[in-house]
Amino acid sequence: MSAPAPIHPLLRAAFGALDEAGVRWALLRGEARLADPSGDVDLLVAPEDLDRMQSALAPLAIVPVERWGGSHRLFFGYDPGTDRWIELDAEPDLDYGPQASFLVNWLLPALRTHAGPGCLARRRQVGGVWVLDPDDAFWTLLLHCIVDKRAVAERHRGRLMELAAEATPGGQIGRRVGLACPPGWDAARVIGAARNGEWDALVALGAEIPRRAAARHPVASRATGFAQGVGRLGATAARMRRGRGFSVALLGPDGSGKSTLSSGLVEHLGVPARLVYMGLWQGEEGQERSIAQAGLATAKRPLKVWRRYLESRYHRARGRIVIFDRHVYDALLPPEPPLVAAKRVFFGFLAHSAPGPQLTLVLDVPSEVAARRRPDEDPGRLGRLRDQYLALAGRLPHAEVVPAEGTPDEVRIEATNRIWRAYARRRSGRPLRGADDGQAEG
């Protein structure tokens, strides 16, 4: 077997951490895409080592993103040096078949190979990466394609034909496939069809294998599926004790790039994210209103804040990262005339009218840069606002100052790294490798 391609630095660090912790794992597929992985990196991991895997990866800010009742454990990490998200898909079982909610998944047919421990016992290390024995690699890749995906992607065809030369019908997985084949098929014919590139025939076979495998032991198969689903649901609920989702507020004076950054973060974050605008005076600047209209707008403002806050809580409950463009913290800035004393009282109330985010990023740009970006604004006022926001950052909990004079991508990468590290600290409850500060709680 040829050595894998060069490995992305964060992946190499992750693999090294797993080995150092004694986690039994092996790459299931995708050896040629490790230098620049697109999508997830599929690993077979011993079920009893999953908690150890989580502990080993936590210092690298690679943390699980939970899904209710999922059979796999998904780990995400971010590398700012390459602006690349890394997703590790840890599979504790080698089961193949249609997937649905755990409530009904146990009713669906599946080929349960029970081959995970054997595959890990037969694994080998190539280029610093644990990979499967060629026979196991052939069967796991083929079943992934023809049963789970119901298609053989172009990128897998050459690899399957290469592995077919070393596959055997008498191996652990080959025997189970042979028992689940319909009349006219056996494991040897499957290997030959892959060697000859008979992909349509193999995909049609893949639709039959789970049904026939489940039909051999209908009660035991469904009982196993039900027990697995209930166990995974309970385990997922226990892991979610730290909560789901995360909230980040972006603050800064005009010209600091808040809107550009917030939209860029929502578009490029590796996990689901939503934007919530929390500006207190949106659309009201420069309006001429009667005293009654102004009073009504003032009375409605706390209700507007809570409506948007509840929207953010909904997204967090769904496991999303919420990006607040502005926040009620803006009300902590010194008020401007007129009615300074009255404004100070009301703004103080507004600033505490909703719970704070779990991280606040205060964007900072030199006054001359802000003046170039906002030529219609008074440079003196922009300078005062900069000083006020920097002072505010020192007063707020879980606040960090982010230099924002760079390009939009440079600022986004820096902000993404800070957000993800704060999220990872909160998810794992562990310190991270490298420069680090206190945990973001909430």
Side-chain angles (χ1 to χ4, degrees):
M1 179 183 296
S2 59
I7 305 173
H8 186 279
L10 185 55
L11 268 184
R12 184 175 291 281
F15 292 163
L18 295 180
D19 289 341
E20 185 176 348
V23 176
R24 290 162 293 171
W25 66 278
L27 185 70
L28 281 172
R29 46 192 166 267
E31 296 92 335
R33 298 186 295 122
L34 296 181
D36 187 23
S38 57
D40 54 357
V41 177
D42 298 293
L43 306 179
L44 174 65
V45 181
E48 56 271 27
D49 289 350
L50 285 172
D51 289 341
R52 191 183 305 171
M53 176 181 184
Q54 181 172 333
S55 298
L57 295 179
L60 300 174
I62 301 176
V63 292
V65 176
E66 306 295 352
R67 300 180 305 175
W68 282 109
S71 61
H72 301 178
R73 296 287 302 281
L74 298 178
F75 292 79
F76 283 80
Y78 178 70
D79 178 51
T82 58
D83 189 22
R84 170 68 69 183
W85 288 92
I86 299 298
E87 179 183 349
L88 301 178
D89 187 348
E91 304 184 22
D93 307 303
L94 292 175
D95 295 344
Y96 301 93
Q99 297 294 315
S101 165
F102 90 100
L103 294 172
V104 297
N105 204 50
W106 63 281
L107 294 171
L108 302 177
L111 172 65
R112 308 187 192 280
T113 68
H114 307 288
C119 287
L120 290 173
R122 293 184 291 271
R123 64 179 179 159
R124 57 185 67 180
Q125 199 168 56
V126 178
V129 179
W130 288 105
V131 298
L132 297 178
D133 174 84
D135 180 55
D136 295 327
F138 168 77
W139 289 110
T140 56
L141 179 57
L142 181 70
L143 291 170
H144 170 73
C145 292
I146 67 174
V147 177
D148 289 345
K149 299 300 183 182
R150 299 191 178 185
V152 182
E154 189 68 36
R155 66 180 183 277
H156 292 315
R157 294 181 178 184
R159 180 64 174 153
L160 282 170
M161 296 175 76
E162 174 188 345
L163 290 170
E166 300 186 65
T168 64
Q172 184 179 13
I173 304 178
R175 291 196 303 272
R176 291 192 176 275
V177 171
L179 291 173
C181 283
W185 284 91
D186 56 22
R189 183 182 171 187
V190 171
I191 296 171
R195 189 181 297 122
N196 296 328
E198 300 172 18
W199 309 122
D200 290 341
L202 287 170
V203 170
L205 173 67
E208 289 288 317
I209 285 177
R211 182 180 62 80
R212 295 183 64 86
R216 296 184 70 246
H217 305 285
V219 176
S221 176
R222 283 159 175 77
T224 299
F226 181 76
Q228 287 179 341
V230 172
R232 288 163 182 161
L233 181 67
T236 303
R239 291 193 300 268
M240 286 183 179
R241 64 188 182 276
R242 289 185 177 272
R244 304 185 72 199
F246 195 70
S247 59
V248 184
L250 302 182
L251 303 181
D254 293 339
S256 59
K258 294 183 298 298
S259 296
T260 300
L261 176 59
S262 59
S263 60
L265 287 171
V266 170
E267 181 180 355
H268 290 95
L269 279 173
V271 297
R274 293 293 186 274
L275 177 64
V276 175
Y277 186 82
M278 282 284 276
L280 293 172
W281 296 277
Q282 180 187 23
E284 299 179 10
E285 299 85 349
Q287 288 186 0
E288 293 187 5
R289 296 175 297 184
S290 67
I291 294 178
Q293 289 173 326
L296 181 61
T298 299
K300 290 170 58 178
R301 195 164 281 125
L303 299 178
K304 181 191 298 185
V305 167
W306 263 91
R307 178 176 61 80
R308 292 171 177 171
Y309 173 73
L310 291 176
E311 178 186 350
S312 77
R313 290 294 300 183
Y314 166 78
H315 291 306
R316 282 183 56 195
R318 298 291 301 273
R320 298 163 180 160
I321 291 182
V322 174
I323 307 296
F324 289 114
D325 185 348
R326 297 187 177 273
H327 199 265
V328 294
Y329 286 157
D330 282 321
L332 292 172
L333 297 175
E336 297 182 355
L339 303 174
V340 171
K343 285 181 177 179
R344 185 175 290 115
V345 173
F346 180 63
F347 289 0
F349 164 73
L350 279 181
H352 298 89
S353 62
Q358 293 158 305
L359 176 67
T360 300
L361 298 182
V362 178
L363 306 186
D364 178 46
V365 293
S367 301
E368 59 273 16
V369 176
R372 287 199 303 269
R373 295 178 178 176
R374 305 286 296 225
D376 296 335
E377 295 280 350
D378 175 24
R381 179 177 178 274
L382 292 176
R384 290 192 299 274
L385 278 174
R386 181 195 185 193
D387 293 339
Q388 291 169 1
Y389 273 104
L390 290 176
L392 180 60
R395 296 163 51 196
L396 295 176
H398 318 305
E400 301 180 14
V401 176
V402 177
E405 68 269 24
T407 66
D409 277 343
E410 289 171 342
V411 178
R412 175 184 58 78
I413 290 169
E414 176 66 19
T416 299
N417 189 43
R418 296 191 187 215
I419 291 169
W420 189 253
R421 289 178 70 83
Y423 175 83
R425 285 193 300 268
R426 181 173 178 273
R427 289 296 300 159
S428 67
R430 299 170 182 269
L432 305 183
R433 184 178 301 178
D436 201 16
D437 51 13
Q439 293 187 24
E441 300 291 347

